[in-house]
Amino acid sequence: MNMWKVSMVCWISVLFLGCGEPPATSTQVDTRVHLYLTDFPVDDAEVTRVLVTFTHIDVYADATQNWITVVDYGSAGRQFDLLTLQGGHAEELGAFDLEPGSYSQIRLHMTPDHVIEVNDGTGVHQFPLKIPSGDETGIKLVGGFTVSGDGPTMLTLDFDARKSIHRNRGQGYMLKPTIKIVEVVTSEFAAKEIHAVQGGEVHLLGKAELRIPPGALAVDTMIEIRKLVLGAPYTQKTGLLSGSVIQLEPSGLVFLTPAQLSVFYDPAQIPAGLRRRI
């Protein structure tokens, strides 16, 4: 299938765009979940490495009201350097299958000992980095996700070491994580927190993408792209071709400089006698 792309530059948010794509008829089930880790840049230039180690990851299934271990690195765990996960970089924590449904929490379990590396001008030094309760109850993320079953689900977690690292006199370095889900991508929905200074991209798999340059947003903003379907009553009333619609949120958002919205469609799905109009 050849997919074409329509791109446009916009100053304000576009509320609805028709894609001319009929609803999918495939019954294939895809329940794969991909979990990624990223980190917002650390302000302290002296910090050269932040090494944290995860042992396993659980999710809470609303249907059964049980915690499910979805990633297990063993007792030794898996170590990540958070400073290598900045500037739009991310590393996969794991991929796993889940039953379709809602999962309201994620819990990250960590080893008790971690390392921070600092260059204070006299040389590079490593110090212990303690995470309260990381190895006991784990770190819970409030905010969940839904597995629809009709396509992969991709989640990105932001560790945000910039806000998490604290140095207390007599106690050394402490890490009190403020981990949150900053991006969710499925076949029907995509949401990503865009930092105003950095800009970024939001992708709805195979449907649309929005590119926001640095400085286009006044403040950090969660941008959503949602796929809707035009029902027969609406298409009969408006004369529009039945298919998908792309909705952007938050409604009324103003870009300070132009952003680029691209919508993908399959020209083979456009009936004979009709032509594309933008």
Side-chain angles (χ1 to χ4, degrees):
M1 177 185 296
N2 294 323
M3 298 299 290
W4 287 19
K5 179 173 74 173
V6 177
S7 297
M8 61 197 75
V9 174
C10 49
W11 286 91
I12 60 175
S13 63
V14 179
L15 297 182
F16 294 96
L17 288 173
C19 299
E21 175 198 347
T25 58
S26 172
T27 58
Q28 183 177 359
V29 176
D30 187 344
T31 60
R32 198 68 170 167
V33 178
H34 299 265
L35 190 61
Y36 298 90
L37 181 68
T38 190
D39 185 49
F40 194 74
V42 175
D43 295 333
D44 192 343
E46 292 185 350
V47 177
T48 56
R49 300 176 79 192
V50 179
L51 304 175
V52 299
T53 304
F54 296 97
T55 56
H56 60 285
I57 302 171
D58 302 332
V59 299
Y60 186 80
D62 293 348
T64 61
Q65 297 186 352
N66 289 320
W67 286 97
I68 303 171
T69 298
V70 293
V71 177
D72 190 346
Y73 298 127
S75 58
R78 179 182 172 189
Q79 188 179 76
F80 295 85
D81 181 359
L82 297 181
L83 268 62
T84 65
L85 304 179
Q86 300 178 353
H89 298 287
E91 189 164 348
E92 189 172 72
L93 291 168
F96 43 88
D97 290 301
L98 287 173
E99 290 294 323
S102 298
Y103 298 83
S104 57
Q105 294 185 65
I106 300 175
R107 186 165 58 188
L108 306 176
H109 294 267
M110 311 179 76
T111 61
D113 299 312
H114 310 273
V115 175
I116 185 170
E117 188 175 273
V118 177
N119 187 344
D120 61 2
T122 65
V124 177
H125 309 279
Q126 289 190 343
F127 300 95
L129 183 62
K130 300 295 183 180
I131 301 181
S133 303
D135 61 323
E136 298 173 0
T137 60
I139 301 169
K140 292 182 182 179
L141 284 69
V142 177
F145 60 96
T146 299
V147 176
S148 64
D150 59 2
T153 301
M154 289 178 281
L155 308 171
T156 301
L157 310 181
D158 183 3
F159 204 98
D160 206 351
R162 175 179 62 112
K163 296 180 180 179
S164 304
I165 298 175
H166 305 274
R167 187 176 187 180
N168 300 323
R169 181 174 298 179
Q171 295 182 325
Y173 288 94
M174 302 288 291
L175 187 63
K176 299 179 180 179
T178 55
I179 305 173
K180 58 184 177 180
I181 301 174
V182 293
E183 183 174 18
V184 179
V185 179
T186 71
S187 61
E188 309 291 332
F189 173 78
K192 184 176 182 179
E193 184 178 42
I194 302 296
H195 296 287
V197 175
Q198 292 183 316
E201 302 177 2
V202 187
H203 298 268
L204 180 60
L205 297 176
K207 303 296 187 300
E209 62 183 30
L210 179 64
R211 300 176 184 270
I212 302 174
L217 295 172
V219 296
D220 296 351
T221 305
M222 181 66 76
I223 304 292
E224 298 181 4
I225 305 179
R226 190 180 302 273
K227 173 189 172 184
L228 306 178
V229 176
L230 292 176
Y234 183 82
T235 57
Q236 292 170 1
K237 179 180 178 180
T238 61
L240 295 176
L241 181 65
S242 177
S244 299
V245 168
I246 301 301
Q247 177 180 349
L248 301 185
E249 295 287 348
S251 178
L253 175 67
V254 176
F255 296 115
L256 304 179
T257 59
Q260 179 176 294
L261 174 67
S262 299
V263 178
F264 300 86
Y265 71 98
D266 180 7
Q269 299 290 349
I270 299 179
L274 297 182
R275 61 187 178 88
R276 184 185 71 184
R277 183 177 180 182
I278 302 175

